[in-house]
Amino acid sequence: MFSRQLATRTARAAAARSYATVSEASGVKVAGIDNGQPTTTISVVVKAGSRYETRPGVAHALKNFAFKTTKNGSGLKTVRETELYGGVLSSALTREHLFLNAEFLRGDEDYFLSLLSSVLSSTKFTAHEFAELVAPTIEGDSLAALSSPTTLAFDIAHNLAFRRGLGNSLFASPHVALTAEQVKEYGAQAYAKSNVAVVGTGISTEALEKAVAKAFGGASASSAGSSASGPATKYYGGEQRLPLDVHADGKPTMLIAFGSTDASATPALAVLKNILGGESDLKWVPGTSPLSLAAEKVPGGSAKAFVLPYSDASLFGVVVSAPTSEGVKALAQDVAAAIKGLGQVGEEAVKKAVAKAKFEVASAVENKQGLIALAGPQVLSGSVKSLEEAFGAIEKTSAESVSKAAEALFKAKPTVVAVGDLAVLPYADELGF
């Protein structure tokens, strides 16, 4: 009875939300989602992540060149005018996309879309801004990544898992020289209209379409060029071990992962992630998932499952950390046993994991950042999945399909990264992989 009531409430809540319909204006895909928010967020989503970069680190540099000098004025002018409007500008980079974001009060979309379009069409890519502003920021980002064992482990894991493309680092290397001209060339390629979509929250698709047509009607983004593309992703796997830098901010860490290039397996992987768990649903109370129980045995230890879906691949696994490498070793052994047990999962465990996976999807779209991160790439592809569709794919997951997904994952070579005391941390084969 309770489960039926819960399902009914969930369905009604999903139906009550409005979702984006994709339109087009001035050759750019557009989608708005208006649920009555007092503020508006507009993101220009560009198919310009590190996967597509023409030179190592150039995507990272392009992200940091956002909101610098354009034909409309200097970066300082942009900052001052944005402050007058009470807005906030930001940029973010993923392995597949660059996000240029503007948050502001309702009604100011014309100004901010004009600003965003000028970034695409007329950023000057000056040598002095690169040397004085962009390069130091890139260096700071890269050093911060190197000093974080978890960030470093994820970056290395992608390289081991996928080598090139999705394996490209999110961070520019200090060993590879970049110039402003090289960033400009990548920007000219990346900012082609076929690579660009505009997504908004707190604004309807119709209103956003009109504003985009006005802002992008001129030479806002290049009509020339083709959509960014590359070879299909292939999973490889491998192992890498690094000593923990004495200046590192985090704890000794191990990452154990497996890759999939089967897009249909993504819902099952989301369920597998929640079967393993790693976080309690109630603060100060130990969780009941296999990873939560394992972490309880190691003071200060943490073991969290993750799944990172991409357009043609996914990376699934567990990241383990503890105050000492000895603690990581003990925890990693329990984590390995939990991962191996995924091939024999009961219906009740799957049922709980399905509910949790649905909650994660629903909660992700409740905030602007999560909604744009999910919807932006879908708008680029031409359609946005509703919450009901996402729920439906997860609900189809059964114990049998979970076991099959796990079996398919474990046939391939694992991806294992160890950061810490290498005399203590176990090798992959010592964990049974």
Side-chain angles (χ1 to χ4, degrees):
M1 179 66 179
F2 175 76
S3 60
R4 288 199 300 272
Q5 291 174 338
L6 182 62
T8 301
R9 285 202 306 271
T10 302
R12 288 174 179 169
R17 289 187 62 89
S18 61
Y19 281 85
T21 54
V22 179
S23 182
E24 189 171 304
S26 298
V28 176
K29 291 185 175 64
V30 176
I33 306 169
D34 190 0
N35 291 307
Q37 302 97 318
T39 61
T40 297
T41 296
I42 292 178
S43 290
V44 174
V45 185
V46 188
K47 202 173 179 181
S50 59
R51 172 178 188 164
Y52 303 108
E53 63 188 8
T54 53
R55 186 176 179 83
V58 73
H60 187 192
L62 183 64
K63 174 242 180 188
N64 284 290
F65 242 123
F67 310 115
K68 301 298 187 290
T69 299
T70 69
K71 70 176 183 180
N72 294 335
S74 67
L76 179 59
K77 176 177 181 286
T78 295
V79 170
R80 286 177 171 173
E81 289 183 350
T82 299
E83 289 176 344
L84 286 172
Y85 278 94
V88 178
L89 303 175
S90 63
S91 59
L93 182 70
T94 70
R95 286 188 152 74
E96 294 193 300
H97 301 96
L98 170 65
F99 294 82
L100 305 175
N101 311 307
E103 301 175 62
F104 49 88
L105 296 171
R106 271 180 178 265
D108 292 335
E109 59 269 13
D110 286 345
Y111 168 76
F112 284 98
L113 271 167
S114 175
L115 188 161
L116 290 168
S117 69
S118 71
V119 172
L120 302 184
S121 65
S122 64
T123 296
K124 298 295 185 181
F125 296 101
T126 60
H128 75 273
E129 281 184 314
F130 180 77
E132 297 171 10
L133 300 174
V134 176
T137 304
I138 290 172
E139 183 180 7
D141 289 346
S142 299
L143 290 175
L146 287 171
S147 66
S148 168
T150 300
T151 303
L152 182 61
F154 272 104
D155 208 49
I156 291 173
H158 278 82
N159 182 252
L160 292 172
F162 305 117
R163 296 186 182 176
R164 300 176 182 85
L166 288 176
N168 293 346
S169 176
L170 284 172
F171 306 99
S173 168
H175 305 295
V176 179
L178 283 173
T179 66
E181 188 61 32
Q182 289 167 342
V183 184
K184 181 178 181 179
E185 290 173 2
Y186 183 62
Q189 170 188 310
Y191 290 154
K193 286 186 176 181
S194 57
N195 291 330
V196 174
V198 179
V199 185
T201 66
I203 185 170
S204 67
T205 298
E206 293 75 16
L208 185 58
E209 185 180 347
K210 291 177 182 178
V212 168
K214 183 177 179 181
F216 284 66
S220 298
S222 173
S223 298
S226 58
S227 180
S229 62
T233 298
K234 182 178 178 181
Y235 175 74
Y236 297 90
E239 182 173 9
Q240 190 161 336
R241 299 162 63 80
L242 298 96
L244 185 62
D245 192 305
V246 293
H247 302 296
D249 297 327
K251 304 173 181 178
T253 298
M254 284 196 72
L255 188 149
I256 304 166
F258 297 85
S260 171
T261 54
D262 180 5
S264 65
T266 302
L269 295 182
V271 174
L272 277 171
K273 167 189 174 291
N274 284 285
I275 290 172
L276 286 176
E279 294 182 340
S280 173
D281 295 323
L282 184 61
K283 194 173 183 179
W284 309 122
V285 176
T288 60
S289 68
L291 297 190
S292 294
L293 294 174
E296 278 298 303
K297 300 176 185 178
V298 179
S302 171
K304 297 178 182 178
F306 64 84
V307 58
L308 302 173
Y310 299 103
S311 58
D312 61 350
S314 296
L315 191 65
F316 165 87
V318 179
V319 59
V320 179
S321 66
T324 66
S325 293
E326 289 78 7
V328 171
K329 178 181 179 180
L331 186 48
Q333 290 169 342
D334 285 341
V335 166
I339 291 175
K340 294 171 195 173
L342 289 174
Q344 298 176 337
V345 179
E347 288 287 354
E348 185 172 345
V350 171
K351 185 178 180 180
K352 289 194 297 183
V354 164
K356 187 66 175 178
K358 288 167 60 180
F359 174 80
E360 288 181 341
V361 172
S363 61
V365 301
E366 286 297 319
N367 65 79
K368 294 178 180 180
Q369 291 78 14
L371 183 55
I372 288 174
L374 286 172
Q378 294 180 42
V379 174
L380 265 173
S381 69
S383 64
V384 180
K385 287 184 179 179
S386 69
L387 196 57
E388 297 97 316
E389 290 175 301
F391 280 180
I394 294 170
E395 287 169 346
K396 291 177 182 177
T397 305
S398 63
E400 182 181 0
S401 61
V402 164
S403 296
K404 286 182 178 178
E407 183 181 351
L409 280 178
F410 304 153
K411 284 181 179 178
K413 186 177 183 180
T415 294
V416 179
V417 181
V419 185
D421 185 345
L422 302 186
V424 174
L425 294 177
Y427 286 85
D429 57 4
E430 293 173 340
L431 294 173
F433 294 121

